[in-house]
Amino acid sequence: MIAYVTVGADDMVLAKRFYSAFLPALGYGLKEGPEGLSYALPVKPGQSPVLPDFYVKPPFDGQPASAGNGTMIAFEAGSQMQVRDLHSAALAAGGFDEGQPGFRDAYGPHFYVGYLRDPQGNKIALFSANADEPGREG
């Protein structure tokens, strides 16, 4: 199981604006500190943490942040409409379009996805695979 994912960022203000445009809508809470941004799903008393956490931090080595070639982080939304809404909100918050929300021939008939780049260049996917919604075939 993946416990957490960390991406680097040089501008925490831009990173916060981008990730706060969609992560709270997916249930993530934000804790901010001098080390960066920590997004986590809420934990009820007596419950184990719901993983993974998502961190946005300046690189520990002090060098500029860079996006990994071939690296992508995917967040699951509850519906196709939520994918569209969150993709749009993330673009308005400083993200860059990498693929408008929709179905892709290479994936299953209910896999609905939109792709973005955060302000630092990290690739993000927002997807829904809700079998209760219309699929690619109609």
Side-chain angles (χ1 to χ4, degrees):
M1 163 145 326
I2 296 173
Y4 64 88
V5 174
T6 303
V7 296
D10 294 324
D11 187 328
M12 286 297 132
V13 172
L14 280 176
K16 180 181 176 185
R17 187 173 84 205
F18 176 80
Y19 286 106
S20 292
F22 67 91
L23 285 177
L26 297 176
Y28 283 83
L30 170 63
K31 287 186 184 175
E32 243 181 300
E35 73 287 346
L37 310 172
S38 299
Y39 290 92
L41 294 166
V43 178
K44 296 176 184 166
Q47 176 187 14
S48 296
V50 180
L51 301 174
D53 291 343
F54 184 74
Y55 305 128
V56 184
K57 301 181 179 293
F60 294 113
D61 66 3
Q63 298 298 311
S66 62
N69 185 23
T71 302
M72 179 172 53
I73 300 152
F75 293 95
E76 187 172 7
S79 68
Q80 295 168 16
M81 178 169 281
Q82 189 177 34
V83 169
R84 289 189 297 274
D85 290 347
L86 297 180
H87 186 273
S88 178
L91 290 176
F96 302 93
D97 183 38
E98 279 287 313
Q100 286 292 309
F103 296 105
R104 304 300 193 270
D105 290 338
Y107 304 124
H110 289 280
F111 192 82
Y112 187 89
V113 62
Y115 298 102
L116 306 144
R117 295 267 178 189
D118 74 3
Q120 194 67 48
N122 295 295
K123 192 167 183 181
I124 304 295
L126 296 166
F127 78 94
S128 173
N130 187 340
D132 294 331
E133 291 189 292
R136 180 176 55 235
E137 308 298 318

